[in-house]
């Protein structure tokens, strides 16, 4: 049916309006050819055709212009000229800020694919609004549908859009002021959704813009309409692109927005310290901070540009020192690229140990005497999921990382935060745990474990001056290629004997440390001032009913560890020494390591020699 429009001298247009077809389900039928109705529509001041048209009564559910009327705009220009020609959009006229613009591009796909994509997007919008504060957060989200060719699009998709109130075929125009229309724009805030069974459901409001291009010009042109025309007016913070047929999960768009928002850098002017160091406090998300504890309201970030041996000389500061707190125990956890589940098990055990120690100490704020230091060996090597877990605990903020300070490359990133959150093995967050002071040292480059220990002792322990240093690794593991199974080593502590020279320890507790392990370490040093070091035994996971012993590799490893604990350790203790590998579950009196032992221990790292045979640590009384 031809479209008729004429223009008179008063800048008005006689619009040919065809009545909507009767919709029964989704079968459109025209019972007869209706008469053409003409409406006199004034053009805008800029000569554009833009007007509101009422939607059917079955579509509008609540009162309000955006629910009762669909806005139609006949665009006669190129997408790059959309802003210049002063076309307007409802979202802009209402002075609403657009946080997310979701773009759906389509050609002539099947209507079932469109329904799946559209249903998923609407569910995502509903989920995002449930996470944002306020009852009208839907006003910050716009869903833009760009159809590549008016004659190419599946007509059943147009029927679905008509049922949602987002399309009116009877008001389309071919030209305005003798200019051919290049695209048709429909704007409507719908409260209806069509599911895969073609049933209509009521939903929270969703702002939908349908751009129906007159001619097919490929997907790249559709994206040009999205960014150069509509996004140029809306100025959204995040743009999410989808094709028809893509079915995002209920929470995926929210996580895309969250990730994009956290990684979007804003300009923030931070003054350097008197010593020329970059160090500042940054607020943590509201879901993380605890209003009862001021330290949990912000995270301290320090961009370190020096070697660990120069950390004290460069006059870097730590929250613990600024608060004039005495550090009794420093627990050091070193990691590389291990799996996030291993980190959770180790971290959960450490937090429980800190809680147990605080329950044994008389002071009400005894947690201030314990610092948990996590040293990650390489910013690009660490497991990203581990960083996500640390972010959920409030101990890491990716968006504030800096690469250089004063033309000096950053060698390590230090985050300091007092958390009251814990993530368990089921990835559930537990709140209101006792405060735990956590320091995360994220090294810029991978430099091996010995270098991580040098950061721990020569940089942070040199400032904190703790009484006891406890070293932990992730739970050690070996890989069985035949069965493709990870055989976990377990670390635990149960005091068997103690003397002036050593403490020997063993435990069969699976996967994690005993609740009291760190406390028994502390008692060993507290009761005997001559104890300079203590260690625990690593035990191989034997499996249920010791089934793993049928594996020769597991059996030989178990035999080696048992013999080492039964023969080697007692024999060495007779002479006042215990030798063990770096990172083994062990503790040291920091005072005993100064003036000699640490210099010999880190000699290979300072000479940049890797894999040297002398990189084992010796405990002495």
């Amino acid at each position: 049916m031809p479209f008729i429009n004429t223009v008179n001298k008063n800048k008005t247009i006689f619009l040919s309006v065809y009545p909507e077809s009767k919709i029964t389900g989704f079968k459109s039928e025209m019972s007869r050819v209706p008469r053409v109705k003409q409406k006199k529509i004034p053009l805008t001041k800029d000569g554009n055709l833009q007007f509101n048209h009422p939607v059917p009564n079955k579509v509008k559910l609540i009162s309000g212009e955006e629910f009762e009327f669909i806005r139609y705009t006949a665009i006669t220009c190129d997408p790059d000229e959309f802003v210049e020609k002063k076309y307007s959009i409802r979202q802009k006229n209402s002075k609403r800020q657009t946080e997310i613009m979701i773009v759906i591009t389509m050609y002539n796909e099947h209507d079932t694919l469109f329904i799946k994509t559209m249903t998923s997007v609407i569910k995502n919008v509903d989920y995002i609004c449930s996470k944002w504060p306020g009852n009208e957060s839907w006003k910050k989200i716009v869903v833009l549908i760009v159809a590549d060719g008016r004659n190419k699009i599946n007509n059943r998709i147009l029927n679905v859009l008509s049922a949602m109130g987002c399309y009116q075929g009877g008001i389309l125009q071919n030209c305005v002021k003798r200019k051919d229309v290049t695209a048709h724009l429909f704007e409507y805030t719908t409260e209806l959704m069509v599911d895969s069974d073609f049933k209509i459901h009521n939903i929270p409001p969703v702002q939908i813009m349908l751009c129906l291009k007159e001619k097919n010009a490929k997907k790249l042109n559709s994206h040009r309409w999205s960014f150069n025309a509509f996004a140029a007016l809306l100025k959204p913070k995040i743009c999410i692109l989808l094709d028809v047929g893509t079915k995002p999960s209920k929470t995926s768009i929210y996580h895309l927005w969250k990730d994009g928002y956290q990684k979007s850098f804003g300009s923030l002017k931070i003054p350097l310290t008197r010593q020329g160091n970059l160090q500042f406090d940054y607020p943590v998300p509201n879901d993380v901070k605890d209003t009862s504890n001021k330290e949990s309201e912000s995270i301290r970030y320090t961009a370190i540009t020096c070697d660990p041996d120069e950390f004290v000389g460069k006059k870097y500061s730590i929250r613990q020192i600024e608060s004039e707190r005495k550090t009794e125990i420093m627990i050091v956890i070193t990691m590389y690229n291990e799996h996030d589940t291993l980190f959770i098990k180790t971290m959960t055990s450490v937090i429980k140990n800190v809680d147990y120690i605080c329950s044994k100490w008389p002071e009400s704020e005894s947690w201030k005497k314990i610092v948990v230091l996590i040293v990650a060996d390489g910013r690009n090597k660490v497991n990203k999921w581990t960083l996500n877990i640390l972010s959920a605990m409030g101990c890491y903020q990716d968006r504030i990382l800096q690469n250089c300070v004063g033309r000096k490359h950053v060698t390590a990133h230090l985050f300091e935060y007092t958390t009251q959150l814990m993530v368990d093995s089921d990835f559930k967050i537990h709140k209101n745990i006792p405060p735990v002071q956590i320091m995360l040292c994220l090294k810029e480059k991978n430099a091996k474990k010995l270098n991580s220990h040098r950061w721990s002792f020569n940089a942070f322990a040199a400032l904190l001056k703790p009484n006891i240093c406890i070293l932990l690794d992730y739970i050690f593991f070996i890989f069985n290629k035949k069965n493709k199974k990870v055989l976990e080593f377990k670390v635990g502590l149960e005091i068997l004997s103690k003397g002036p020279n050593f403490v020997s320890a063993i435990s069969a507790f699976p996967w994690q440390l005993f609740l009291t392990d760190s406390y028994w370490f502390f008692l060993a040093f507290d009761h005997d001032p001559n104890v300079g070091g203590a260690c625990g035994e690593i035990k191989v996971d034997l499996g249920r009913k010791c089934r793993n012993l049928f594996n020769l590799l597991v059996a030989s490893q178990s035999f080696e560890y048992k013999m080492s604990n039964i023969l080697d350790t007692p024999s060495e203790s007779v002479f006042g020494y215990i030798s063990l590998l770096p990172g083994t579950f062990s503790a040291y009196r920091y005072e005993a390591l100064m003036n000699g032992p640490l210099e010999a221990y880190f000699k290979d790292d300072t000479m940049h020699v890797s894999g040297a045979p002398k990189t084992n640590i010796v405990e002495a009384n």
Side-chain angles (χ1 to χ4, degrees):
M1 186 176 295
F3 291 90
I4 306 170
N5 44 35
T6 57
V7 183
N8 63 10
K9 298 180 180 180
N10 297 325
K11 291 188 177 181
T12 59
I13 188 169
F14 290 96
L15 179 67
S16 305
V17 180
Y18 297 92
E20 286 300 302
S21 58
K22 299 178 181 179
I23 300 178
T24 306
F26 285 92
K27 297 180 180 179
S28 301
E29 299 177 354
M30 296 293 293
S31 57
R32 60 184 180 84
V33 179
R35 292 183 179 179
V36 178
K37 297 181 180 179
Q38 288 190 339
K39 288 185 177 181
K40 189 176 182 181
I41 303 294
L43 300 180
T44 63
K45 294 180 180 179
D46 305 298
N48 302 323
L49 176 61
Q50 191 172 55
F51 61 91
N52 293 334
H53 188 75
V55 297
N57 293 329
K58 293 182 179 180
V59 174
K60 56 185 176 183
L61 300 180
I62 58 177
S63 59
E65 180 182 329
E66 57 187 321
F67 302 102
E68 297 178 355
F69 297 90
I70 184 174
R71 172 173 286 194
Y72 172 73
T73 304
I75 306 172
T76 59
C77 66
D78 189 75
D80 296 337
E81 301 172 344
F82 185 80
V83 178
E84 182 183 348
K85 296 292 184 180
K86 297 184 180 180
Y87 285 95
S88 63
I89 298 176
R90 267 184 177 175
Q91 183 82 343
K92 193 70 174 177
N93 294 343
S94 303
K95 297 181 180 180
R96 296 174 181 172
Q97 181 183 359
T98 305
E99 185 74 26
I100 302 176
M101 184 178 77
I102 304 172
V103 181
I104 304 174
T105 55
M106 64 179 177
Y107 177 49
N108 62 351
E109 293 85 354
H110 199 270
D111 57 305
T112 54
L113 297 178
F114 173 78
I115 290 175
K116 289 179 181 179
T117 301
M118 197 64 201
T119 303
S120 301
V121 168
I122 290 175
K123 290 180 179 179
N124 270 267
V125 172
D126 186 23
Y127 180 80
I128 295 171
C129 294
S130 68
K131 292 291 183 180
W132 288 353
N135 297 326
E136 295 185 340
S137 51
W138 55 268
K139 294 181 178 180
K140 297 180 180 180
I141 305 173
V142 174
V143 178
L144 171 64
I145 305 170
V146 184
D148 195 14
R150 173 179 155 195
N151 296 324
K152 299 291 184 180
I153 188 173
N154 191 319
N155 288 328
R156 290 178 63 87
I157 293 180
L158 294 180
N159 290 338
V160 173
L161 289 168
S162 296
M164 295 171 62
C166 305
Y167 175 72
Q168 290 276 356
I171 59 177
L172 286 171
Q173 299 299 301
N174 284 332
C175 62
V176 176
K177 295 173 61 176
R178 298 180 181 179
K179 294 181 181 179
D180 291 330
V181 174
T182 55
H184 310 271
L185 178 62
F186 297 89
E187 300 173 76
Y188 183 68
T189 302
T190 185
E191 291 187 290
L192 299 176
M193 179 183 74
V194 181
D195 63 11
S196 56
D197 296 326
F198 297 98
K199 294 181 180 179
I200 299 178
H201 302 271
N202 295 342
I203 59 170
V206 178
Q207 299 180 112
I208 294 180
M209 295 171 56
L210 170 63
C211 175
L212 183 59
K213 292 158 58 179
E214 185 66 25
K215 296 180 180 180
N216 170 242
K218 306 300 170 60
K219 185 188 291 186
L220 191 62
N221 180 265
S222 298
H223 285 170
R224 194 151 69 93
W225 276 102
S226 306
F227 289 101
N228 293 5
F230 307 117
L233 267 184
L234 293 174
K235 297 187 182 341
K237 290 185 178 180
I238 304 294
C239 296
I240 296 175
L241 303 183
L242 289 173
D243 282 342
V244 165
T246 306
K247 186 179 179 181
S249 63
K250 182 180 178 181
T251 62
S252 57
I253 294 181
Y254 171 75
H255 290 297
L256 273 177
W257 166 81
K258 188 176 180 181
D259 185 63
Y261 178 77
Q262 289 179 346
K263 292 182 183 294
S264 59
F265 291 88
S267 57
L268 190 63
K269 191 175 182 179
I270 303 294
L272 300 179
T273 63
R274 292 181 179 178
Q275 293 76 26
N277 302 323
L278 177 61
Q279 190 173 57
F280 60 90
D281 292 339
Y282 190 81
V284 297
N286 294 328
D287 296 339
V288 175
K289 63 178 157 184
D290 184 3
T291 55
S292 62
N293 187 4
K294 291 184 178 180
E295 294 185 34
S296 66
E297 295 181 358
S298 62
I299 185 173
R300 165 78 61 89
Y301 172 72
T302 305
I304 305 172
T305 59
C306 65
D307 190 76
D309 295 340
E310 301 172 343
F311 185 79
V312 178
K314 295 292 184 179
K315 296 184 179 180
Y316 285 95
S317 63
I318 298 176
R319 271 184 175 180
Q320 185 82 342
I321 299 300
E322 293 176 1
S323 303
E324 297 181 353
R325 297 174 182 172
K326 180 182 177 182
T327 305
E328 192 68 34
I329 300 176
M330 183 179 77
I331 303 174
V332 181
I333 304 174
T334 55
M335 65 180 180
Y336 177 49
N337 62 351
E338 293 85 353
H339 199 272
D340 56 293
T341 54
L342 299 180
F343 172 78
I344 289 176
K345 289 169 183 175
T346 301
M347 197 65 203
T348 303
S349 301
V350 168
I351 291 174
K352 290 180 179 179
N353 271 261
V354 172
D355 185 22
Y356 183 81
I357 294 172
C358 294
S359 67
K360 292 295 182 180
W361 286 351
E363 296 89 347
S364 59
E365 294 184 341
S366 52
W367 56 269
K368 294 181 178 180
K369 296 182 178 181
I370 305 174
V371 174
V372 179
L373 171 64
I374 304 170
V375 184
D377 195 13
R379 174 181 167 188
N380 296 324
K381 299 292 184 180
V382 65
N383 191 310
K384 300 302 180 184
W385 281 99
T386 301
L387 294 180
N388 290 339
I389 293 167
L390 287 167
S391 297
M393 296 172 62
C395 305
Y396 176 71
Q397 287 277 357
D398 180 67
R399 62 181 303 188
I400 60 178
L401 286 172
Q402 299 297 312
N403 291 325
C404 60
V405 177
R407 297 182 180 180
K408 294 181 181 179
H409 292 293
V410 174
T411 55
H413 310 269
L414 178 62
F415 297 89
E416 301 173 74
Y417 184 69
T418 301
T419 185
Q420 290 187 275
L421 300 176
M422 182 181 71
V423 181
D424 62 13
S425 56
D426 296 324
F427 297 96
K428 295 181 180 178
I429 299 178
H430 298 268
K431 297 183 178 181
N432 300 323
I433 65 169
V436 180
Q437 299 180 112
I438 294 180
M439 295 171 56
L440 170 63
C441 175
L442 183 60
K443 293 158 57 179
E444 185 66 24
K445 297 180 181 180
N446 170 243
K448 307 299 172 59
K449 185 189 294 183
L450 192 62
N451 182 265
S452 297
H453 284 170
R454 194 152 70 93
W455 276 102
S456 306
F457 286 105
N458 291 7
F460 308 117
L463 268 183
L464 293 173
K465 295 188 180 347
N467 185 20
I468 300 170
C469 297
I470 299 176
L471 300 185
L472 286 175
D473 273 345
Y474 271 114
I475 299 173
F476 302 90
F477 67 91
I478 56 177
F479 187 73
N480 184 353
K481 293 183 178 179
K482 182 177 180 180
N483 299 329
K484 296 183 179 180
K485 182 179 179 182
V486 174
L487 306 174
E488 301 292 346
F489 293 165
K490 301 163 185 177
V491 180
L493 180 67
E494 179 183 335
I495 296 299
L496 296 182
S497 61
K498 64 181 179 180
N501 298 328
F502 78 100
V503 174
S504 179
I506 182 175
S507 175
F509 190 75
W511 297 101
Q512 55 190 11
L513 307 179
F514 267 139
L515 179 65
T516 62
D517 290 350
S518 299
Y519 178 68
W520 285 113
F521 263 156
F522 168 76
L523 286 183
F525 290 93
D526 189 54
H527 289 171
D528 193 342
N530 293 322
V531 174
C535 71
E537 181 198 358
I538 299 175
K539 184 178 180 181
V540 180
D541 182 9
L542 302 180
R544 186 178 180 183
K545 296 182 180 180
C546 300
R547 291 179 180 177
N548 290 345
L549 284 176
F550 289 102
N551 187 304
L552 293 179
L553 183 61
V554 177
S556 60
Q557 192 76 58
S558 178
F559 178 77
E560 179 187 353
Y561 283 172
K562 286 297 180 183
M563 291 300 101
S564 175
N565 185 68
I566 295 172
L567 298 178
D568 296 348
T569 305
S571 300
E572 291 173 347
S573 67
V574 173
F575 301 97
Y577 294 91
I578 299 175
S579 62
L580 54 114
L581 294 174
T584 307
F585 183 44
S586 54
Y588 307 90
R589 193 185 299 275
Y590 180 69
E591 184 181 1
L593 295 177
M594 299 175 65
N595 302 324
L598 285 180
E599 294 179 6
Y601 179 49
F602 296 130
K603 183 177 180 180
D604 293 319
D605 184 62
T606 54
M607 295 173 63
H608 302 284
V609 178
S610 61
K614 296 183 180 179
T615 56
N616 62 320
I617 196 166
V618 178
E619 296 184 355
N621 60 318

